[in-house]
Amino acid sequence: MSDTLLEVDDLRVTFPTRTGLVQAVRGVSFSLRRERLGIVGESGSGKSQTGRAIMGVTPPQAEVSAKKLAFDGMDLLSMSPRERRALRGSRIAMILQDPKYSLDPVMTIGRQIVETLRTHEKVSKAEARERALAMLQAVQIRDPARVFDLYPHEVSGGMGQRAMIAMMLVTGPELMIADEPTSALDVTVQLDVLKILDKLVAERGMGLIFISHDLRLVSSFCDRVVVMYAGKVVEQIKASELRDAQHPYTRGLLNCMPRIGFERHPLPVLDRKPEWAA
Amino acid sequence: MSVAENQAAAGRGSARAVAILSSLGRFLVIAVTTYLGLLAVTFFIGRVIPIDPVLAVLGDRAPTAVVERTRREMGLDLPWIEQFYLYVKAALRGDFGTSVLTTNPVMSDIRRVFPATIELATLGTIIGAVIGVPLGVLAAVKRGSLIDQVARIVGLIGYSVPIFWLGLLGLVLFYAKLQWIAFPARLDVVYEYTFTPITGFYLLDAAIQGQWDVFYDAWRHIVLPAALLGYLSLAYISRMIRSFMLNELAQEYIVAARAKGLSERRIIWGHALRNAAVPMVTVIALSYANLLEGSVLTETVFSWPGIGLYITNSLQNADMNAVLGGTIAIGSVFIAINLFSDLLYRLLDPRTKTG
């Protein structure tokens, strides 16, 4: 078995719309070992759709194609929906942006965690509860037994996102796709949640795809960075070398980052050249 | 569990009890206020309408002295605020006066006719919900497919075709031609003398008394009008459920549920419909209330001795006591249904429990 966890070659996602076909993702390729890969780009660059296509949760009208889309040597596109579903939530997991919307509002947090577990493993109710509580503990929720019985609207955003992480990690997946996991949270809570995510990913030796528009966050948190623009990868670079990025688009993004002690006036405008998207 | 945890649990329990009691109290206040409002409106209508109650009772040939005496006996010479007080007092006792048309107390008339309507409306709503909800869900899930189109057409016909016409067609086909069902009435004449209703819901009464021949006969009478009302509410319910479901299926928690690897069945029926259930309760309750008050046409076509027919007949005979009594009865049931659906709301949506 090779140590490549995920291989993506020429991934395309197309949406039919009233005004014709819209290509959200246009030939994205990268491969992932058990490492932390960041995908950055502005809104509409196709980074989220890339994550969802790998996960297999694109809307039904979207068309997903690729020369190769393989997880652990298994071709994701040719397998049956049932096989694909069995992977989702057990070996590949996903965290969404805002726990306010991504947790079912009428189901207690505990039941939502237990639901993931019991979908993929034959465990008794009592054991599932135990493991859910342990998972809540692992995401540093101090009073797991209480939070277990709470509804999503009864907890804060940071707590909700930890519950979301718990719900997705309880089965011990090998690949985690985190789609803007901290963008909806208060800045003070962002770091807490990131630390928890970082720790769990490191402990369990998982592969992580971290989708974000926050360049600074990605560069400090990931090993490698994929920069996307208009549905394409414009640059792949080690996070530590991001400062020396070559592509003008990446340079443009870097340029927009504010620095303490420096006046930015007027704010730079991102350069967008059609040939980068060609 | 430690002692502290036990105490905490007990504290939560009693806090919850207080919350339930206070919301029950609030419900009660709302119910009483609405009911008083209903009484006020009916009282006002009763005074405004250009029908002389004395004239309705005595006819136009009574001597003036008798008319004057009757007017006093009916309390019509009192100031209106006192009349209203007496009206409310009597209404709270369930006394709506005597019907001129049937010469019975209005209340006993209502006891007789209202169960007929409730039985029909209940059966109709059950049919509408049992078929309408799954149809709406399927139409939303398979949007744009054949089943969605069929549901759309079924709904469109249900909306736009007059129910009495459908009723007449149904009678021609199923009663006159095929003879699958019984003639328009609640029961065959034979049973009118051998069967004593208890609750007034004939299907229920027959079942309780084990008179299965009566049950079968009552069923043959009710099935067509109930199916028609069921179709009417099905058309409405399925359209509404479809749009609720489309709304829920577009939410992020559905993506999360897919990411968890749940089956489509579990996602649709366990998550999306569970969330759509809250507005769904309102829609079904409204459609039920609608059938309770608005099935006059159906009751006419099927000679169904229900409250719609009763009020219409009373109105045509200027029998104001009966009309107002019937209106208040329907209004009361309306209030009760609304409160009930409010309670269900609270049970279904955890977000409404606190605050």
Side-chain angles (χ1 to χ4, degrees):
Chain A
M1 202 177 81
S2 71
D3 60 348
T4 304
L5 195 56
L6 179 76
E7 216 172 319
V8 183
D9 187 12
D10 197 24
L11 176 71
R12 289 167 189 277
V13 182
T14 312
F15 288 92
T17 66
R18 212 159 35 79
T19 51
L21 293 179
V22 170
Q23 290 198 308
V25 180
R26 307 183 304 151
V28 165
S29 307
F30 61 87
S31 71
L32 181 82
R33 286 170 293 140
R34 292 180 185 270
E35 61 182 336
R36 291 165 302 183
L37 175 77
I39 301 184
V40 288
E42 40 185 332
S43 303
S45 60
K47 54 190 195 303
S48 277
Q49 287 307 329
T50 303
R52 287 181 187 210
I54 296 166
M55 196 68 204
V57 293
T58 40
Q61 72 271 21
E63 214 164 287
V64 179
S65 70
K67 282 202 189 105
K68 189 166 187 186
L69 183 63
F71 171 75
D72 196 15
M74 293 175 289
D75 184 7
L76 288 174
L77 291 182
S78 67
M79 64 173 53
S80 74
R82 183 178 286 273
E83 291 169 318
R84 189 103 193 253
R85 207 177 74 213
L87 282 182
R88 275 204 298 270
S90 68
R91 299 189 65 192
I92 313 180
M94 187 175 197
I95 303 173
L96 299 170
Q97 182 169 349
D98 193 340
K100 228 185 246 107
Y101 303 108
S102 51
L103 291 169
D104 185 336
V106 298
M107 199 187 260
T108 60
I109 286 168
R111 275 188 58 202
Q112 298 193 45
I113 300 173
V114 166
E115 190 183 35
T116 315
L117 196 55
R118 281 170 65 93
T119 303
H120 298 287
E121 292 174 37
K122 290 217 177 310
V123 290
S124 70
K125 274 198 177 126
E127 194 192 336
R129 188 187 156 89
E130 278 314 305
R131 280 180 62 186
L133 288 174
M135 197 61 230
L136 283 172
Q137 192 109 48
V139 293
Q140 291 171 26
I141 284 174
R142 268 188 302 275
D143 193 356
R146 190 177 68 90
V147 174
F148 189 92
D149 288 320
L150 291 182
Y151 286 96
H153 74 278
E154 295 173 312
V155 301
S156 65
M159 186 95 95
Q161 199 60 310
R162 289 184 216 189
M164 178 90 195
I165 295 173
M167 175 169 96
M168 290 303 185
L169 285 184
V170 68
T171 50
E174 293 143 74
L175 171 62
M176 162 74 89
I177 300 170
D179 189 355
E180 304 261 13
T182 57
S183 306
L185 305 179
D186 284 344
V187 184
T188 44
V189 191
Q190 278 188 357
L191 271 182
D192 291 342
V193 171
L194 270 180
K195 271 185 203 146
I196 291 165
L197 193 60
D198 192 31
K199 182 163 164 273
L200 289 170
V201 166
E203 274 175 7
R204 296 166 181 229
M206 290 163 38
L208 173 75
I209 297 179
F210 189 90
I211 299 167
S212 177
H213 61 267
D214 190 335
L215 213 54
R216 194 193 301 276
L217 207 63
V218 166
S219 64
S220 63
F221 186 64
C222 296
D223 307 314
R224 224 149 42 90
V225 180
V226 168
V227 182
M228 282 187 71
Y229 175 72
K232 290 200 156 206
V233 175
V234 292
E235 188 157 23
Q236 287 202 43
I237 192 166
K238 273 195 185 154
S240 52
E241 294 164 6
L242 195 63
R243 224 170 267 281
D244 313 313
Q246 295 305 310
H247 196 279
Y249 178 67
T250 316
R251 290 238 56 91
L253 285 179
L254 286 168
N255 243 345
C256 292
M257 290 205 300
R259 276 177 212 104
I260 290 175
F262 288 85
E263 192 88 20
R264 296 312 296 266
H265 193 80
L267 276 173
V269 175
L270 258 186
D271 207 8
R272 293 182 178 84
K273 294 225 170 79
E275 62 260 30
W276 300 342
Chain B
M1 214 184 251
S2 72
V3 178
E5 272 178 70
N6 262 330
Q7 277 172 346
R12 275 206 297 283
S14 68
R16 205 183 157 127
V18 168
I20 289 172
L21 274 182
S22 85
S23 68
L24 271 182
R26 205 162 55 216
F27 276 155
L28 218 61
V29 171
I30 295 172
V32 168
T33 325
T34 323
Y35 189 69
L36 280 179
L38 176 69
L39 289 180
V41 168
T42 48
F43 175 80
F44 182 68
I45 291 173
R47 306 299 122 160
V48 166
I49 255 176
I51 291 173
D52 186 347
V54 180
L55 196 67
V57 177
L58 296 176
D60 55 1
R61 305 225 178 129
T64 324
V66 180
V67 170
E68 275 310 309
R69 206 183 63 221
T70 316
R71 187 176 293 281
R72 269 200 307 281
E73 277 170 6
M74 292 171 85
L76 293 170
D77 55 335
L78 299 169
W80 70 266
I81 189 84
E82 205 172 333
Q83 283 187 41
F84 181 60
Y85 171 71
L86 291 173
Y87 176 77
V88 170
K89 216 167 95 180
L92 290 180
R93 278 202 316 268
D95 175 11
F96 301 116
T98 307
S99 160
V100 184
L101 191 61
T102 64
T103 69
N104 297 325
V106 170
M107 197 57 195
S108 80
D109 275 348
I110 289 173
R111 280 221 187 88
R112 184 169 44 80
V113 297
F114 210 5
T117 297
I118 294 178
E119 186 174 39
L120 192 57
T122 308
L123 207 57
T125 305
I126 290 173
I127 293 172
V130 165
I131 303 176
V133 171
L135 190 66
V137 170
L138 283 178
V141 171
K142 302 193 184 300
R143 187 183 186 181
S145 71
L146 185 69
I147 188 157
D148 189 15
Q149 304 298 344
V150 168
R152 188 192 311 271
I153 292 167
V154 164
L156 206 61
I157 295 174
Y159 277 143
S160 39
V161 176
I163 187 146
F164 60 86
W165 185 75
L166 277 182
L168 289 173
L169 275 192
L171 278 176
V172 168
L173 181 64
F174 296 112
Y175 169 58
K177 290 261 186 252
L178 297 169
Q179 307 231 320
W180 287 356
I181 59 155
F183 60 88
R186 275 193 94 182
L187 218 52
D188 272 3
V189 189
V190 203
Y191 295 114
E192 298 266 341
Y193 301 98
T194 61
F195 176 64
T196 24
I198 310 165
T199 59
F201 306 111
Y202 282 9
L203 288 174
L204 194 66
D205 289 341
I208 291 172
Q209 299 175 27
Q211 295 184 309
W212 295 108
D213 52 332
V214 179
F215 184 87
Y216 178 66
D217 185 62
W219 170 252
R220 283 184 11 122
H221 280 93
I222 204 173
V223 63
L224 185 58
L228 277 177
L229 292 184
Y231 180 45
L232 208 64
S233 64
L234 175 160
Y236 174 59
I237 290 173
S238 68
R239 287 323 281 171
M240 297 306 280
I241 298 292
R242 178 183 182 273
S243 85
F244 296 151
M245 282 298 284
L246 283 179
N247 181 40
E248 293 302 332
L249 286 170
Q251 302 293 320
E252 280 287 288
Y253 71 82
I254 296 294
V255 176
R258 291 224 161 83
K260 283 163 82 171
L262 304 188
S263 65
E264 279 302 297
R265 206 167 67 216
R266 175 105 188 99
I267 291 171
I268 291 160
W269 303 96
H271 285 277
L273 185 63
R274 179 63 187 71
N275 274 276
V278 178
M280 181 173 93
V281 165
T282 314
V283 162
I284 293 177
L286 270 180
S287 135
Y288 185 45
N290 200 25
L291 291 192
L292 281 179
E293 57 167 336
S295 38
V296 180
L297 289 176
T298 319
E299 287 179 359
T300 311
V301 170
F302 290 96
S303 306
W304 196 260
I307 199 158
L309 206 56
Y310 177 70
I311 293 182
T312 318
N313 282 339
S314 308
L315 199 58
Q316 279 161 359
N317 289 281
D319 189 354
M320 280 319 286
N321 281 347
V323 173
L324 294 181
T327 309
I328 289 170
I330 290 177
S332 309
V333 172
F334 216 100
I335 294 172
I337 290 175
N338 268 317
L339 285 181
F340 180 67
S341 74
D342 246 35
L343 268 173
L344 265 182
Y345 233 91
R346 268 149 208 276
L347 284 179
L348 286 172
D349 192 342
R351 282 164 296 188
T352 55
K353 264 180 199 146
T354 46

